Amino acid sequence: MMQIYTRIPKESPLLPSAVKITKGIIEPGKFMLDTGVLRKRIITDDLERRTLHQILKSNSGQHSMIWVGSRTSRVEACPWTSEFWSKFTSSNYAAVRPIVIESTWHVHESTTPDYVDKSQWDLAEEAFWTEDHWDANDSVSKRVGLVNHMRDKESPAAIVIVRPDLYIAYSSLVTSPKHFDTAFAHLDSYLKRNVNA
C-alpha cells in the first residue's frame, strides 16, 4: 500500500528531465496502479486473462514499454500500432519487453497481427493484449490518463515505460509516429541495446 503514495522525486536522474509532461497523462515517478483484467489477443489453447501487474511481473525484472492504443468504437483502430511494433522490434533492447494494448472492439481476430514477422511470434504472443472496457475506472487507458484525451476524431495513443519496481520511468501522449523517437531516446539514455541481435 505504501508504494501507491511513494513517488520518485522529479529531480531524480532516473526520470526524464527535458521531456514535457502532457497534462492528464500519468507522470514519471508515480507507481503504476493495477488494472482490471486484460485479454490476451493471441489465443493458442485457452482464453487467457491477466491484470497489468500480472503481465508486468511476468517480465522477469525487465522494463516494459507499454503502447496503449485503445480508442472509442466511433473511430478506427489506432493506425500507429504497427509502426510502434516495427520501431520497438528493430531497436533490439535486451532488457525491455513490449506490451501492446488495444480496444477489444478493434481487434477482430485472436491471432498474431499481420505486421508481425514470424521470427517475432514468441515475443508477440506475450506482448499483445486487449481491454474490453477502456472507460472503466481500473482500465489501462484510464490509469495512464489516455481517456482524458480521447475524442471522436484524431484520438491519440500513449507510451508508458514502467520500471521493474512498477514505477513509471517515462510517459507520453502520441499524436503521430514522430513521438516514438523521444520515448526511445529516453530508453537509450540509461539502458543498453542488445548488440548481439
Side-chain angles (χ1 to χ4, degrees), residues 12-19 28 63 65 93 161 163 168-171 180-191:
S12 170
L14 298 174
L15 300 178
S17 57
V19 176
H63 282 67
M65 183 177 254
Y93 288 105
I161 299 172
R163 297 165 16 130
I168 305 302
Y170 174 89
S171 61
F180 297 165
D181 294 336
T182 309
F184 285 94
H186 175 68
L187 277 178
D188 285 342
S189 71
Y190 73 100
L191 291 179

Side-chain angles (χ1 to χ4, degrees), residues 90-164:
S90 66
S91 296
N92 296 320
Y93 288 105
V96 184
R97 295 308 244 181
I99 299 172
V100 177
I101 299 170
E102 300 171 278
S103 317
T104 303
W105 178 268
H106 291 102
V107 175
H108 304 293
E109 296 179 0
S110 297
T111 59
T112 307
D114 293 339
Y115 53 82
V116 175
D117 186 85
K118 284 186 179 186
S119 66
Q120 302 164 345
W121 280 7
D122 287 343
L123 178 63
E125 187 176 339
E126 293 299 319
F128 285 88
W129 296 84
T130 66
E131 61 180 351
D132 294 334
H133 305 286
W134 56 264
D135 56 347
N137 285 334
D138 62 352
S139 71
V140 176
S141 296
K142 192 86 150 207
R143 294 279 198 231
V144 302
L146 182 60
V147 170
N148 302 331
H149 301 276
M150 286 184 175
R151 296 171 187 80
D152 286 340
K153 297 178 184 174
E154 304 300 322
S155 287
I159 291 178
V160 180
I161 299 172
V162 182
R163 297 165 16 130

